[in-house]
Amino acid sequence: MTASGTTRVLAALQLCSRILAAGVGLVVLVSVLGGGPLSIDRLASLPRSVGTVLTTSTSSSSDGAAMRPVGRARLRRQLQELLAHHATLVVRFMRSTVSEDAGFVDAANAVLIRNTEDLQTTLAPAIGTDDAAAVAKGWADHTQALFRYAAALRDDDDAAQQDARQELSSYVDEQATLLADATGGHVDEDMASAGLRMQIDLLLYQIDAYARGDYEQAYE
């Protein structure tokens, strides 16, 4: 194998490991939001429990209002669908920004707004209306920061890229703290931070490759 071939294989393997880690973080986050504290036994049982109808749980919202029972399996499924949809949309959103496809940027932005509204609606019965609104605001803000990063790449504006990266770093810290507080510690702050940071890193990784014309690496 040539040196360039070896480098490409190593890069692909590194990306796969990062995607796997991000997937684990997402599974843990979705599972814990679905109900129950995190434990090694619970984590080990997740693959076997996918699709299983779990018992329901009740909790109190951050604004003091009593909440209706939340179906854990249903909540987990809804969050998985919304987060997967967001990931697909935001990748297209960023790439269309770089390639200056203004029509698609506007269309994707509209769908991303609806996706965030759906996320807030889904989370409200589990963590309360106030915390769900705060999570959704942070989610919308980070989506816009990703757009600004892509626009800065398009314009070759290094300073704007750094500003967007700083916004995203602050978002990770704030959102991880919010998720930990909103779930009464059921979502571990450090794990939430690691999962969110991995999500950001992967999105920036793919758009950097796309902007420099390395489409093979971007799509890997």
Side-chain angles (χ1 to χ4, degrees):
M1 182 180 294
T2 65
S4 61
T6 301
T7 299
R8 189 171 295 279
V9 169
L10 289 175
L13 288 173
Q14 181 184 40
L15 180 59
C16 288
S17 67
R18 295 169 76 185
I19 292 173
L20 177 60
V24 170
L26 177 60
V27 168
V28 171
L29 179 59
V30 169
S31 174
V32 175
L33 282 174
L38 180 66
S39 69
I40 296 299
D41 290 341
R42 180 173 173 75
L43 178 59
S45 69
L46 286 179
R48 296 190 296 276
S49 65
V50 171
T52 302
V53 178
L54 302 179
T55 57
T56 61
S57 63
T58 57
S59 57
S60 298
S61 68
S62 60
D63 53 15
M67 294 193 302
R68 63 182 179 275
V70 179
R72 297 179 185 177
R74 181 182 178 186
L75 175 61
R76 185 181 301 119
R77 182 178 67 253
Q78 289 175 325
L79 288 174
Q80 286 171 337
E81 290 174 354
L82 287 169
L83 297 177
H85 191 203
H86 179 273
T88 301
L89 285 170
V90 81
V91 165
R92 297 289 303 278
F93 184 46
M94 296 175 78
R95 293 180 181 182
S96 296
T97 300
V98 168
S99 62
E100 300 186 87
D101 184 351
F104 190 86
V105 168
D106 290 341
N109 185 53
V111 179
L112 282 164
I113 290 172
R114 290 200 298 273
N115 177 270
T116 302
E117 291 171 347
D118 290 343
L119 178 66
Q120 179 177 341
T121 299
T122 299
L123 284 174
I127 63 176
T129 55
D130 289 350
D131 284 332
V135 169
K137 182 182 184 306
W139 196 251
D141 289 346
H142 108 282
T143 300
Q144 289 303 309
L146 290 167
F147 164 75
R148 285 190 288 275
Y149 182 84
L153 275 178
R154 177 198 62 206
D155 299 336
D156 198 24
D157 188 335
D158 291 339
Q161 290 177 46
Q162 289 304 313
D163 288 345
R165 282 184 177 274
Q166 183 56 52
E167 286 184 60
L168 291 166
S169 180
S170 297
Y171 156 78
V172 167
D173 294 337
E174 293 166 4
Q175 193 82 317
T177 299
L178 174 58
L179 287 170
D181 291 345
T183 59
H186 285 183
V187 171
D188 179 78
E189 184 172 346
D190 290 339
M191 181 166 286
S193 178
L196 291 168
R197 196 170 303 281
M198 184 70 70
Q199 177 223 13
I200 297 298
D201 286 347
L202 287 169
L203 288 170
L204 297 183
Y205 179 88
Q206 64 84 25
I207 198 61
D208 283 343
Y210 186 87
R212 66 175 179 265
D214 190 349
Y215 305 122
E216 182 178 356
Q217 189 69 69
Y219 280 96
E220 282 180 1

